[in-house]
Every structure is written in structure tokens, then in C-alpha cells.
Amino acid sequence: MEGGKMIEARRISKFFSIVNKDGIAEGLTACMSVTLSIEKGKIITLLGPSGCGKSTFLEILAGLQAPTEGEVYIDGVRVLEPLPSTRAEMETYRKKYRFLSPLANDLFRDRPKHDIAMIFQDYAVFPWMTVLQNVTFTLKLRGLPRSEREKQALFYLNKVGLGASVNKYPSQLSGGMRQRLAFARALSVEPKAILMDEPFAAVDVLTREHLQDDLLKLWESSGITIVMVTHDVAEATYLSDEIIIFSPSPGTIRNRFKIDVPRPRRRDDPDLADIEVRISKLLKYDVDNECEYSI
Amino acid sequence: MQVEQQYGSKGLGLLTRESGLFLKNSFGSLFSREFIKVLIPLLVLWEVIPRFDILPRTLAPTLSDVALAFWDMVVNKGLFLHILYSLAKFLAGLLIAVLTAIPIGIFMGWNLSIRKHALPLFQMLAPIPPPAWVPLTIIIFGIGLPMQIFLIFLGAFYPILFNTYQAIKDTDPRYLSSARVFGASELTLICNIYFWNALGAIIMSVKTGVAIALVMLVIAEMYGGRSGIGYLLVEAKDFFQIPAMVVCMLVLGIIGWFSIELLKFAELKLALWKVGR
Ligand SMILES: Nc1ncnc2c1ncn2[C@@H]1O[C@H](COP(=O)(O)OP(=O)(O)O)[C@@H](O)[C@H]1O
Ligand SMILES: [Mg+2]
């Protein structure tokens, strides 16, 4: 848990070109010059009204989308290494991956770009694999030898309390259990950081609080860096070390709140409630302004 | 654990149980209490109406006429051998269609560039009704097995191709993303994500393909060759043997029903994960 930067995003911008309802192409700015650095072992939440580019930003951090401008570094390694442009670069690239072309490399070889995991809203666990297969599949992608996969998968499934349902299919699980499966899948590869996009949005309140506490337990025992997107201000204040508030059109960082309330925290802590009120006000102001614009 | 117990027993026992289950699931409806009440009166009416000359018996054979014709065809014409010929051609054509249409569909759904290069060609050729291919096919392949198999293939190819392509294209991007985050290559995505996600739709499309392939089987056999149910059908027409024609029609119906049920069963077995959703 020693200091140092885990994730560094430098002036990330993302533009989409979309076709509006009159059939005319126009530009859309999902993220505008977002700079953010996240320290190792912290929990950071991104808060903001929907459509302000939080998911897009998270996917850029994960390397699932290329930013239009800017760079992301995870633990000092550039995400989405740009393709070689000169002949010399190409040579080193080929030597590095021992394949004829970067394209073939991406086509045929499982190769983690960097050491993170991501959890999506609605879980995105694979319904055609059993609980166990869901986890062993990701371990296979990470190149773990066959003999160790099942052992490690079972270890993490037990850790999240799914040890009894390893041979079930996700359709036979409840929403909360599916979320646990997504956790197990992400934790099993022992990543340096986990990115989560509204992980608790689709479960009921009681399950949600339960899962939040479980998440904190897992976090304390592993010291992973967590970046989370949420709509829920209470959730953000309860969990995070720092809250980043996004504002819409164009999506950019508006405020940052450090939360120094010591852990373990209580949900009814008056300090947390105070912060929650301040953040809610801020968000409400944003939304109200947005409405004035559109009227 | 439970699943293992259920499917643990090996070999013959498993085979008999599975096929018993299959027959019961698929054709049990024929012998359900409700349908028997419809079936028996129908059969009786079939026997009785021509006998009382409500319909002329030469045109509408009775049940017993058809049964006799069936027996006659089995003994004198080798009906079962002809059924076997038809089935072999049908399966060959269908298999070729499955083995070509599914990969092409997968590649078109997976990659935009491949799609843009290939799709318009298929979109142009697909609306041609398969029977319209018969004259050209006969000229190119001559009358015989290759022409028949090609026509059957043609009937099944396009429905499988287009449905596979559509299902692959519509794969939920979150499934892809969550595999990509862990470093999945495109090949892995195709084998482990796209394909399985689309499997239900693919099996559905094979069902459609089977229906059209069956049409093409009859057409192909009626136009040429000396074997198969379609051939028997034309022969019966030439000699004005109406009971024999009815036998052929019923046999074709049963082949169609059987193959559809077989696919449904496969769907049930493969798509175990969808049960109880
Ligand atoms: N692939 C895309 N093409 C076009 N526009 C997109 C795409 N992805 C996201 N957007 C737009 O970018 C904006 C931000 O989206 P998103 O990151 O999902 O917001 P949030 O997660 O904060 O709700 C939205 O206006 C959305 O419509
Ligand atoms: Mg979102």
C-alpha cells in the first residue's frame, strides 16, 4: 500500500461523430481534457449525471476504447500502445511479440494489455459458462497453466461465497450472486486495479449494502486500487477515499472531494452525511442548469 | 454436482434414456390423451368417407388403401432404400450448407470490412427463389447426384447465412469488452463469445434451412434421378397411383418433423444455460 501512482490519465479527450435525428453528422464530446492520477491502493469514485462520459472514461482507462487525445498509464505502462509508425519501431515490435504483424498478434494470441480487471453494470458474466468456467476462462486468458486454474478459481469463488454453486449457470443465480461472480472473476486474475462501472446499480438496497461491505473486506485484504463509477452519492461517500465529480457536456472533472473519515466507517456517520449533502447540492445544481439550457 | 449425477452414467444406458426422452418429448404429443381423441375419429372418417362414396374412391384412397400401398412399396419398390437415398442427399446438402454458411456468417458478423466486401453479393443472390436455379443447375451439373445435392444446399444456405450473420453482429458488446479486458484475442472471442452467444439463433436458422432444403429435395428428385421419395412421387403420378402418392407425402412430412424435432432437442441440450431463465 505504499504510495505511487497506479493510474495516470493525461488530458484525455474523446470525440464521437454521431448522426443526429435530421440525418446530419455532428460531433459529440464525451470527455474533455480529463487529467486524473490515482494513487495505489485507494478507492476512487466517479460521480455525475448520466451521459457525462463516465463510462467512456472508464473504458479508456481499461484500454477498451482509444482516446482521441491524451494518454493513459497504468503502473507506468502506457495503455493502448500506439501501433508502430516507423520501420525501426516495427522491427522492435515484431521482435517483442514474435509474430509477423501486430494485426496477427491481436488476432490469434491472448495477451493482456496490462494488469487490470473491469466489472460492468449488469455483470456481463457469460451465461453459457458455469460459474466455475466463467472464472477459469479468464484465468486461461491470463495464461495460467491448466492445472492451477481450477484451484485458483475455487479459491476466489469461496472467497466471495459462491463455493456452493460452482456448477450452476448464471441464469440460476440471483442478481447479487451474479455480481459476486463478477467480483470473483475480476479478483481471480489478481489485478493491480479494478475498474467498476455502476457495479451495484442493478441489485436491491439490502443486497447492495451487503455487497459494499464485502467489497471493502476484499479491498482491505488485497490492497487493490479501485476506480468505481456510481450514481449513488451515499455509496460513494461510504466507500471512497476520493470522489471525482464529473459535469456534463462536455464531460470533464468539476470537483474533487477527499474523504478523510477513518475506516472502518459507519453508514450513519454525521461527517459522511455532511459530505453527502454538499455533493448532492452540487450535483443538483448541475442538473438544474442543464435543464435551463435545454428549455 | 447434481448435473454430474444426472449425466454421469455412460454408454448404452445413457443412449437409450436420451433417445427415449427425445421420442417422448418430440412425438409424445401424437399419443397424448387429447390428440388421440382427434386422431382416431379422423382416421375413422378417412376410412369411411371414401367407402360410402361421399368422395370418389379413385381420387381419395381410404386409410387401408394407403396402408396396402405402403406395404406394396416396401416389398416391391424398396421404399426404405429410397428413404435412405433421400435422407443421405438431404443430409449431405444440409451439412455442406451448415459448414459453409455458419463460418461465412460468423466472419461477416465479426468484421466490418469482410461484411462490406461480401454482404451485397449475398443480398443480391439470396432473393432468387431456389427453384429458379433448377434449369441452370441441370445444365451445369447434368442430371444426377451433384445437381440434387447442390439444390438442397442452396435451399438451406441463405437462411443459415443471414441469421448467423445477424446474431453475430448483434452480440452484446459488454460480453466482448469483459473478455477483451482480460486480454482475449479475436480468435478467442469468436470461439468463446460470439459463437456461443449466437448459438440459439444459429440453431433456429438451421431449422428454417431444413424446411426449405426439404422443399428443394422434392424438387430436385422430381426433376431428375432414379431414386428417392421425390422420384417415387413422380412415378406414382405417371401411373396415377394415388395411394402411393399419399404414402410419399406422409413420408416427407415425417422426415421434416423428425429433423425439426432433432434440432429442437439439440437446442435443449446445448443451450442448457438458457433453461430456467
Ligand atoms: N460509441 C458511441 N458513439 C457515439 N456516442 C457515444 C458512444 N458512447 C458514448 N457516447 C455518448 O457519449 C456520452 C457519454 O456517454 P457515457 O460515457 O456512457 O456516459 P455515462 O456513463 O456518464 O452515463 C453520451 O452522450 C453518449 O451518448
Ligand atoms: Mg454509464
Side-chain angles (χ1 to χ4, degrees):
Chain A
M1 281 234 207
E2 79 285 5
K5 302 270 175 281
M6 189 61 189
I7 299 174
E8 246 198 299
R10 294 189 195 149
R11 295 185 311 283
I12 298 291
S13 301
K14 178 77 182 180
F15 311 121
F16 290 111
S17 64
I18 54 167
V19 179
N20 69 9
K21 57 181 182 291
D22 302 326
I24 299 164
E26 55 180 34
L28 188 151
T29 310
C31 295
M32 187 67 183
S33 205
V34 178
T35 299
L36 180 64
S37 66
I38 296 168
E39 276 171 44
K40 280 183 184 156
K42 297 277 187 218
I43 301 183
I44 304 292
T45 358
L46 310 180
L47 254 176
S50 54
C52 66
K54 304 182 301 287
S55 299
T56 307
F57 180 65
L58 213 60
E59 292 198 357
I60 290 172
L61 291 188
L64 291 169
Q65 293 191 34
T68 317
E69 279 165 15
E71 295 142 35
V72 177
Y73 294 86
I74 291 198
D75 211 15
V77 180
R78 170 119 186 231
V79 172
L80 282 190
E81 192 175 343
L83 287 180
S85 54
T86 66
R87 191 176 282 265
E89 272 175 21
M90 187 67 158
E91 281 308 310
T92 48
Y93 201 93
R94 275 186 191 158
K95 276 200 195 101
K96 192 164 162 194
Y97 296 121
R98 275 179 276 119
F99 259 83
L100 274 182
S101 74
L103 184 70
N105 196 45
D106 269 351
L107 280 179
F108 299 117
R109 213 173 123 212
D110 297 329
R111 178 172 56 90
K113 305 246 178 347
H114 42 265
D115 217 354
I116 58 157
M118 186 158 175
I119 295 177
F120 295 81
Q121 191 183 349
D122 305 329
Y123 332 119
V125 293
F126 306 124
W128 52 88
M129 298 182 192
T130 63
V131 168
L132 184 63
Q133 284 166 347
N134 258 290
V135 182
T136 47
F137 175 63
T138 49
L139 291 174
K140 182 176 158 221
L141 293 180
R142 283 289 162 101
L144 208 73
R146 188 184 288 272
S147 53
E148 288 167 38
R149 277 179 219 155
E150 194 166 314
K151 209 174 116 230
Q152 183 154 343
L154 286 174
F155 174 76
Y156 281 99
L157 283 170
N158 280 320
K159 204 164 174 171
V160 299
L162 278 178
S165 356
V166 290
N167 283 328
K168 286 191 178 155
Y169 285 94
S171 59
Q172 297 165 302
L173 303 180
S174 68
M177 284 162 97
R178 258 179 264 177
Q179 189 59 65
R180 283 164 198 276
L181 173 55
F183 276 146
R185 195 169 68 170
L187 289 170
S188 69
V189 299
E190 296 173 349
K192 290 175 182 162
I194 298 189
L195 312 176
M196 303 196 241
D197 194 353
E198 306 192 17
F200 306 121
V203 292
D204 59 276
V205 181
L206 278 179
T207 317
R208 186 182 307 169
E209 294 193 348
H210 217 91
L211 286 169
Q212 287 166 359
D213 290 331
D214 286 348
L215 176 68
L216 281 179
K217 243 182 263 159
L218 293 168
W219 172 73
E220 272 157 14
S221 66
S222 59
I224 293 178
T225 310
I226 294 178
V227 184
M228 189 165 101
V229 168
T230 180
H231 272 136
D232 184 343
V233 183
E235 176 174 288
T237 48
Y238 179 63
L239 292 178
S240 36
D241 293 304
E242 186 169 0
I243 297 180
I244 314 281
I245 299 191
F246 268 60
S247 69
S249 49
T252 190
I253 295 180
R254 176 178 156 77
N255 280 79
R256 307 175 61 147
F257 280 84
K258 276 230 180 325
I259 301 186
D260 294 324
V261 181
R263 298 171 195 272
R265 295 175 182 165
R266 289 184 10 240
R267 284 179 199 280
D268 51 5
D269 192 317
D271 288 346
L272 287 183
D274 186 44
I275 298 173
E276 196 182 320
V277 170
R278 272 165 55 207
I279 293 177
S280 297
K281 265 194 196 138
L282 208 70
L283 285 173
K284 189 165 176 304
Y285 175 82
D286 255 358
V287 172
D288 288 349
N289 272 17
E290 189 69 2
C291 288
E292 264 169 47
Y293 275 117
S294 55
I295 287 169
Chain B
M1 307 294 159
Q2 220 174 11
V3 174
E4 258 166 41
Q5 268 170 20
Q6 225 169 334
Y7 298 99
S9 58
K10 294 252 152 60
L12 206 63
L14 185 73
L15 193 70
T16 32
R17 206 191 31 243
E18 288 293 300
S19 45
L21 212 65
F22 166 62
L23 288 177
K24 183 164 164 283
N25 282 347
S26 309
F27 303 104
S29 62
L30 207 53
F31 304 105
S32 71
R33 196 168 293 174
E34 290 80 359
F35 189 67
I36 287 278
K37 282 184 204 147
V38 180
L39 182 68
I40 290 180
L42 267 181
L43 292 179
V44 170
L45 277 181
W46 187 2
E47 184 64 35
V48 167
I49 288 180
R51 277 191 192 275
F52 286 95
D53 268 337
I54 300 168
L55 286 171
R57 195 163 166 185
T58 42
L59 293 182
T62 63
L63 175 61
S64 49
D65 290 338
V66 172
L68 284 177
F70 174 74
W71 185 243
D72 176 60
M73 288 167 85
V74 171
V75 175
N76 297 325
K77 293 217 180 102
L79 177 65
F80 283 120
L81 212 58
H82 280 288
I83 293 180
L84 223 60
Y85 286 143
S86 285
L87 274 183
K89 287 177 228 171
F90 180 64
L91 286 182
L94 193 66
L95 199 68
I96 298 175
V98 164
L99 291 182
T100 51
I102 292 180
I104 298 177
I106 288 178
F107 282 123
M108 282 203 311
W110 164 68
N111 182 290
L112 184 65
S113 168
I114 296 180
R115 183 183 316 159
K116 283 183 168 168
H117 280 92
L119 190 59
L121 179 70
F122 294 120
Q123 279 173 327
M124 195 166 62
L125 293 178
I128 302 173
W133 281 86
V134 172
L136 188 66
T137 314
I138 289 181
I139 289 173
I140 293 174
F141 289 105
I143 284 179
L145 206 58
M147 154 243 169
Q148 294 179 331
I149 290 180
F150 177 75
L151 288 175
I152 295 164
F153 154 80
L154 209 61
F157 181 75
Y158 289 113
I160 301 180
L161 178 78
F162 283 113
N163 287 304
T164 305
Y165 144 71
Q166 195 65 41
I168 296 281
K169 193 173 93 143
D170 293 344
T171 303
D172 189 334
R174 277 175 311 121
Y175 290 147
L176 299 172
S177 298
S178 55
R180 279 199 181 112
V181 165
F182 295 108
S185 65
E186 292 298 313
L187 185 70
T188 307
L189 289 181
I190 289 177
C191 298
N192 290 292
I193 313 292
Y194 283 111
F195 176 75
W196 288 96
N197 192 46
L199 189 59
I202 292 179
I203 293 180
M204 278 281 284
S205 73
V206 177
K207 275 191 228 164
T208 319
V210 161
I212 304 181
L214 205 59
V215 174
M216 294 311 292
L217 170 74
V218 179
I219 291 179
E221 286 182 340
M222 286 170 80
Y223 269 98
R226 299 234 149 274
S227 66
I229 306 297
Y231 166 69
L232 288 183
L233 193 60
V234 175
E235 202 190 42
K237 185 203 97 186
D238 290 344
F239 292 104
F240 208 71
Q241 297 164 328
I242 293 181
M245 287 159 65
V246 175
V247 171
C248 291
M249 287 160 63
L250 287 178
V251 166
L252 286 168
I254 290 170
I255 292 179
W257 190 8
F258 195 80
S259 17
I260 297 290
E261 289 298 332
L262 211 59
L263 283 167
K264 274 196 205 161
F265 193 66
E267 202 174 17
L268 204 71
K269 286 281 137 185
L270 287 172
L272 197 62
W273 68 84
K274 285 198 173 142
V275 179
R277 174 180 277 181

